Amino acid sequence: MTTSFTNYKHTQIEQKWQQFWQEENIYTFDNTSEKEVFSIDTPPPYVSADHLHAGHIMSYGQADFIARYKRMRGYSVFYPMGFDDNGLPTERFVEKKYNIKKSHIQRKEFINLCLQETRKGAENYRDLWEKLGISVDWTKTYSSINPLATKVSQASLIDLYKKGILYRDTKPVLWCTHCETALAQTDVEEEEQESEGKLYYISFTSSEQETLPIATTRPELLAACVALYIHPDDKRYQHLLNRKAIVPLFNYEIPIYCSEKVLMEFGTGLMMVSTWGDREDIEKWQKDNLPTKAVIDKQGKMVNIPEPYLGLTTQAARVTIVKDLQEKDFFIKEESISQRKLVHERCATPPEFILSKQWFIKVADKKDVWLEMGNKVQWHPLSRKQDYDLWVKRLQWDWCISRQRFYGVPLPIWYCSQCDEPIFAAPEQLPTDPTTDKPPLAHCPGCESSTFIPEKDVADTWATSSCTPFLLQELVSPGNKNQNLFPVSLRPNAFEIIRTWDFYSIVKSYYHFQTIPFEHVMISGHGLDAQGRKISKRLGNYIPSTELVATYGADSIRYWATGAKLGQNLRFNIEEIHKGKRTVQKLWSVANFYHRNITNSLDIKSGVELEPADQWILNELNMCIRESTEAFEAYDYARAREETSDFLWKKCADYYIEFIKYRLIANNHASKVAAQNTFHQVFFNLLKLFAPILPFITEAIYQELFREKNSPKSIHIAQWPKVTSQTNVPKGFSEVIVAIDEIRKYKSEQGLSLGAQLEKYQLTSKVDLVKYGLLIKAVMRITELN
């Protein structure tokens, strides 16, 4: 054990207690315990991230603050760790790192590279998490590509298919031409900043040779134009209704319809509908049974179009078509416009709508259900619930879950080569890979064919991640639904995945179990740099996490992370880390004071007669315990830290220690015992209050000063402080604080140290010197006080 509190060497101490926690299984979940379970659905990070920074520390540290608090409140905390190592994020990482494309490499070779990188990523995360004191149970881990996760995910899809919720259909889907895969609505996002675009004015011609000017941002879709639309109230064009128009350059007729969704003030008020430029095009294509003219393929090249446009990229086709329109006098003008484009969140490529056969999960027809389920969840902060509600209300189509990639959970399906009947795997086959395994049937139940085609697509990564609330119980009770583990107590995650992980988890839980997947959601923000930009590898605006921990220590970094209010972003502030380091040093200094003055002569007694200063600090401690507990119960770790830090610096260190220094060396035994007993109680409880936030320093001090033979073997499984019986603060004691502040200010202004002796001082503030004069004189070293 430590014998000196003179120097705090964070590296040695953190390594020591990190090893202690592992060896003693402090955070291992005991499924046989009779304690109430508090379970945490830890957000599985993408292990493709090779740039762990303060943003990661902030997000994952916040869940750990709650886990540690709940453990001390007497819960059996189930805090497993998962890694999201399948799907597009990992594939994109591998493609970029090795400068390859999955379409130019063998499937097996590509998957092996992905597995290799995910193993490295998992090791990086575990190393950092342990150094930070993240108290997950490393005996309970999973990855979203391992056999357990694959089995649970595939079983989920089979159940949804049997219930008629998972279906296959051919329809326009969002498609990323860069990643060469179908996307879901959640995979695309609006660009953060407006960019400059062009609005092109082009002359169509009516069947009566009338010029019809339209405005479009996508002239490359002229060959896909299938109709023009007018607003029914637009008097300029009402005479065109049910007539025909001629598409310039491509010289074919299209109908003219009306729709109240046409914006009369946009462009010319005539709307060009192509198949498909946007969602409006799809809606009109479906409603009016318009023909299909698909001119963009899955690689983003022009198809089904005459030379010289055939085979061009969409951008090249746009330039060429505009040039030809100008040469043939079909071009009117172009205008610069500001616009926010929709882009694939993984590669920033604007998606296209492509006609494709994909697998979907029904979600768009149950908005009322999803809103109702969201109301049953407790959101922290409540304001972030509106993100969920807004997303549900904006749902436009069903969830496309099939992806044309290699690295992911295989869709457990084969198809009859004759009639295309889907054959799903049998439960006992799971997990399965149709590309290597045989189907469960020898003959197609529809046509008796004996030949089958394996499905090569994999599932959307969220189709697996959405299973984590009920996947976790498989880590403890395989094959059995554990009522203590599902629904999960807490789901912590950042706000940008409310629309994905939270929403899809609610969808799956409702369809499978008719219940919510988690009781509470705790939403964090992003880590920002000093300029307010999101910390990211692309910007390089961060200090690597390992360097931060090595330089400042885990507790100092965790202190900074508690500064983030729930659901809000937090700027990286080195001064806050220094403040955390000063707080750690202050606790070490207070421990040194305790060690020198109390450890060897502590005589714990009940019924000790307390002095006014003792009564005051115990009352302040009670208020701190009450406020900190209420804050943690509301998942407001930031307020808990502020309350505890304020008590350490402003109540304990600034005043109470000064109040008792003279008593600890005086000849009054009763006064000394009262001071020792009070300070023992105060400091021990203060350590407990700090323990969820500063786990290393509090453990080190606990083990040296407070752990006894029958005590808990770690402060992190000790009992959380309780408010003691009400202590009455003597009347007028607050005036003592004011008086001491006055004298301190005077000494400072005179250039004197606070411990300097004063022969005489005349107080201006009001205080009862008969009752408190001796205390003030002793604390402030004053011979005569008037």
Side-chain angles (χ1 to χ4, degrees):
M1 292 296 181
T2 305
T3 57
S4 172
F5 287 92
T6 53
N7 295 310
Y8 183 77
K9 298 179 180 179
H10 69 79
T11 301
Q12 295 176 9
I13 286 177
E14 289 172 4
Q15 289 176 350
K16 176 180 179 177
W17 297 114
Q18 175 187 325
Q19 183 177 353
F20 171 81
W21 296 330
Q22 293 174 359
E23 292 174 350
E24 296 294 330
N25 298 314
I26 300 300
Y27 310 126
T28 301
F29 175 66
D30 181 6
N31 192 40
T32 64
S33 172
E34 294 183 358
K35 295 180 179 179
E36 185 178 351
V37 172
F38 186 85
S39 52
I40 302 175
D41 189 5
T42 318
Y46 289 122
V47 295
S48 54
D50 62 348
H51 58 292
L52 300 176
H53 51 66
H56 296 99
I57 294 174
M58 184 193 82
S59 181
Y60 283 85
Q62 290 166 4
D64 186 59
F65 305 145
I66 302 302
R68 288 183 176 278
Y69 165 74
K70 291 293 184 179
R71 208 175 275 118
M72 294 179 72
R73 286 306 301 266
Y75 288 89
S76 179
V77 174
F78 179 51
Y79 190 14
M81 187 67 200
F83 295 105
D84 203 349
D85 52 7
N86 80 78
L88 199 50
T90 303
E91 290 200 9
R92 291 275 300 138
F93 174 77
V94 169
E95 286 178 327
K96 188 173 182 179
K97 181 173 182 176
Y98 292 95
N99 194 27
I100 57 175
K101 289 203 74 174
K102 64 102 178 176
S103 55
H104 300 154
I105 188 173
Q106 291 294 319
R107 180 188 182 101
K108 185 176 181 180
E109 183 181 354
F110 187 78
I111 290 175
N112 285 337
L113 284 176
C114 291
L115 288 169
Q116 172 183 309
E117 291 303 317
T118 54
R119 281 191 293 268
K120 291 179 183 177
E123 291 170 2
N124 289 340
Y125 268 103
R126 176 161 186 171
D127 179 65
L128 177 61
W129 276 192
E130 289 180 342
K131 287 178 178 176
L132 282 166
I134 304 294
S135 61
V136 298
D137 179 359
W138 290 106
T139 69
K140 302 291 186 292
T141 61
Y142 69 90
S143 76
S144 54
I145 197 67
N146 74 359
L148 172 62
T150 299
K151 178 180 178 179
V152 171
S153 180
Q154 290 179 335
S156 166
L157 296 176
I158 293 171
D159 182 56
L160 295 178
Y161 181 73
K162 290 178 179 178
K163 292 176 177 177
I165 295 162
L166 175 68
Y167 67 96
R168 191 182 186 211
D169 196 7
T170 300
K171 55 184 177 180
V173 296
L174 284 164
W175 185 273
C176 179
T177 57
H178 179 79
C179 298
E180 298 182 21
T181 184
L183 305 173
Q185 188 178 345
T186 51
D187 295 320
V188 296
E189 59 187 11
E190 198 172 60
E191 289 181 325
E192 291 185 7
Q193 295 181 337
E194 290 186 346
S195 57
E196 183 176 309
K198 298 291 185 181
L199 188 62
Y200 302 90
Y201 288 77
I202 302 169
S203 293
F204 280 61
T205 307
S206 72
S207 51
E208 287 75 22
Q209 299 303 306
E210 179 183 353
T211 298
L212 305 177
I214 64 99
T216 179
T217 59
R218 302 202 61 185
E220 69 273 17
L221 292 180
L222 267 179
C225 182
V226 290
L228 294 183
Y229 277 77
I230 64 172
H231 193 282
D233 297 332
D234 195 335
K235 296 180 180 179
R236 295 172 297 174
Y237 304 120
Q238 285 182 347
H239 66 285
L240 298 175
L241 191 58
N242 296 324
R243 294 188 181 182
K244 300 288 185 180
I246 309 297
V247 178
L249 287 187
F250 302 99
N251 198 34
Y252 62 90
E253 281 190 339
I254 56 172
I256 301 175
Y257 296 122
C258 70
S259 169
E260 292 183 348
K261 287 192 174 183
V262 174
L263 299 176
M264 289 188 285
E265 64 277 10
F266 179 80
T268 66
L270 272 171
M271 178 182 180
M272 180 180 91
V273 172
S274 301
T275 51
W276 300 269
D278 55 25
R279 188 64 192 173
E280 283 293 318
D281 287 352
I282 294 175
E283 288 181 0
K284 291 175 173 52
W285 171 75
Q286 292 172 327
K287 178 178 178 293
D288 293 326
N289 196 27
L290 299 174
T292 300
K293 285 182 173 289
V295 298
I296 301 174
D297 69 7
K298 293 179 178 180
Q299 286 74 45
K301 302 291 183 64
M302 303 302 292
V303 294
N304 303 320
I305 192 171
E307 295 283 0
Y309 317 116
L310 187 65
L312 295 179
T313 65
T314 53
Q315 288 297 320
R318 177 180 300 179
V319 172
T320 306
I321 286 175
V322 168
K323 179 182 176 182
D324 290 349
L325 288 169
Q326 290 171 332
E327 290 180 353
K328 297 181 183 296
D329 293 329
F330 292 120
F331 189 81
I332 302 172
K333 65 177 180 177
E334 66 179 55
E335 292 178 349
S336 294
I337 60 170
S338 294
Q339 57 182 172
R340 280 189 172 93
K341 293 183 292 186
L342 291 178
V343 295
H344 182 198
E345 63 172 351
R346 295 298 170 193
C347 65
T349 301
E352 300 287 356
F353 281 101
I354 301 291
L355 191 66
S356 181
K357 183 178 281 190
Q358 303 288 340
W359 285 95
F360 301 87
I361 292 175
K362 295 178 180 178
V363 293
D365 62 341
K366 285 187 168 51
K367 293 183 182 182
D368 290 344
V369 172
W370 312 139
L371 291 173
E372 180 185 352
M373 296 294 285
N375 289 335
K376 295 180 179 180
V377 175
Q378 296 186 54
W379 299 80
H380 307 277
L382 182 60
S383 59
R384 281 294 176 183
K385 181 179 178 293
Q386 66 184 3
D387 294 19
Y388 175 86
D389 291 344
L390 186 60
W391 171 252
V392 170
K393 292 173 183 177
R394 287 179 175 177
L395 279 175
Q396 294 177 303
W397 54 87
D398 288 337
W399 177 15
C400 176
I401 60 108
S402 45
R403 297 291 181 270
Q404 291 64 53
R405 302 294 298 186
F406 288 163
Y407 190 58
V409 171
L411 296 177
I413 309 166
W414 296 260
Y415 303 98
C416 174
S417 62
Q418 299 300 314
C419 67
D420 202 34
E421 177 74 15
I423 309 297
F424 278 77
E428 60 272 14
Q429 285 184 285
L430 304 181
T432 188
D433 184 351
T435 64
T436 57
D437 299 338
K438 293 182 179 180
L441 303 174
H443 299 279
C444 173
C447 68
E448 294 297 320
S449 172
S450 60
T451 57
F452 300 91
I453 301 170
E455 174 62 86
K456 295 181 180 179
D457 288 355
V458 297
D460 174 15
T461 184
W462 298 111
T464 297
S465 298
S466 59
C467 298
T468 57
F470 49 92
L471 180 155
L472 298 180
Q473 61 190 346
E474 296 288 330
L475 297 173
V476 179
S477 306
N480 298 312
K481 183 176 180 181
N482 190 321
Q483 299 295 333
N484 293 323
L485 299 178
F486 183 81
V488 176
S489 306
L490 175 64
R491 158 70 66 83
N493 58 261
F495 58 78
E496 78 271 14
I497 56 174
I498 290 174
R499 66 177 189 169
T500 49
W501 196 34
D502 293 339
F503 172 69
Y504 288 143
S505 295
I506 288 174
V507 167
K508 284 283 192 76
S509 183
Y510 172 78
Y511 278 141
H512 293 311
F513 310 110
Q514 290 73 55
T515 187
I516 54 175
F518 32 75
E519 296 168 349
H520 297 264
V521 178
M522 185 176 73
I523 305 298
S524 66
H526 290 142
L528 307 178
D529 66 11
Q531 286 74 47
R533 302 172 300 172
K534 182 180 177 182
I535 297 174
S536 68
K537 181 179 181 181
R538 180 177 61 84
L539 294 175
N541 55 343
Y542 63 93
I543 301 171
S545 296
T546 51
E547 185 178 327
L548 282 173
V549 175
T551 304
Y552 301 103
D555 284 337
S556 301
I557 308 299
R558 291 170 64 100
Y559 184 94
W560 164 78
T562 57
K565 297 291 185 181
L566 281 172
Q568 295 182 6
N569 296 330
L570 177 66
R571 292 198 182 202
F572 180 77
N573 186 342
I574 203 71
E575 179 52 39
E576 276 295 299
I577 294 177
H578 284 299
K579 187 176 178 181
K581 192 170 185 178
R582 290 193 295 271
T583 300
V584 170
Q585 293 289 353
K586 176 58 72 173
L587 284 171
W588 198 244
S589 175
V590 174
N592 185 40
F593 175 82
Y594 184 102
H595 180 66
R596 288 187 293 105
N597 293 281
I598 295 176
T599 302
N600 296 327
S601 60
L602 179 62
D603 181 15
I604 298 180
K605 292 182 177 181
S606 58
V608 175
E609 185 175 350
L610 302 179
E611 296 189 9
D614 305 327
Q615 295 171 316
W616 171 77
I617 194 65
L618 289 176
N619 184 68
E620 293 291 336
L621 175 64
N622 272 338
M623 290 192 292
C624 182
I625 292 172
R626 184 182 296 109
E627 291 295 325
S628 182
T629 303
E630 288 177 359
F632 268 121
E633 286 296 322
Y635 299 89
D636 191 352
Y637 44 79
R639 182 162 65 93
R641 187 203 75 176
E642 286 306 302
E643 293 291 339
T644 308
S645 293
D646 184 78
F647 180 79
L648 166 65
W649 289 94
K650 297 181 181 179
K651 310 296 169 52
C652 182
D654 279 0
Y655 295 105
Y656 187 66
I657 288 178
E658 299 301 320
F659 290 159
I660 65 174
K661 279 181 179 179
Y662 77 96
R663 292 166 58 188
L664 295 173
I665 59 175
N667 293 325
N668 188 332
H669 181 69
S671 177
K672 179 178 180 179
V673 170
Q676 287 183 324
N677 277 259
T678 301
F679 189 61
H680 173 83
Q681 180 180 346
V682 167
F683 191 39
F684 190 19
N685 281 289
L686 178 60
L687 287 178
K688 290 180 180 181
L689 292 171
F690 265 123
I693 298 166
L694 309 176
F696 292 101
I697 180 74
T698 53
E699 185 73 278
I701 297 173
Y702 169 79
Q703 296 289 344
E704 175 65 22
L705 301 180
F706 295 99
R707 185 180 175 186
E708 299 175 352
K709 185 176 180 180
N710 297 320
S711 299
K713 57 185 175 182
S714 168
I715 192 172
H716 301 297
I717 52 176
Q719 187 180 61
W720 183 256
K722 292 182 178 180
V723 175
T724 58
S725 57
Q726 187 65 36
T727 303
N728 294 320
V729 180
K731 183 179 179 181
F733 193 82
S734 60
E735 295 170 356
V736 174
I737 305 297
V738 175
I740 288 175
D741 287 343
E742 177 190 325
I743 300 168
R744 284 176 171 174
K745 181 180 179 182
Y746 170 80
K747 286 186 175 183
S748 177
E749 290 174 345
Q750 299 302 311
L752 301 173
S753 69
L754 295 182
Q757 184 74 34
L758 290 180
E759 291 301 318
K760 181 184 292 187
Y761 186 79
Q762 184 76 31
L763 270 173
T764 60
S765 57
K766 178 184 177 183
V767 65
D768 186 346
L769 290 183
V770 174
K771 192 172 184 179
Y772 300 117
L774 289 177
L775 171 64
I776 297 172
K777 287 194 293 183
V779 171
M780 297 310 300
R781 303 192 59 153
I782 301 172
T783 304
E784 182 180 341
L785 181 66
N786 298 309

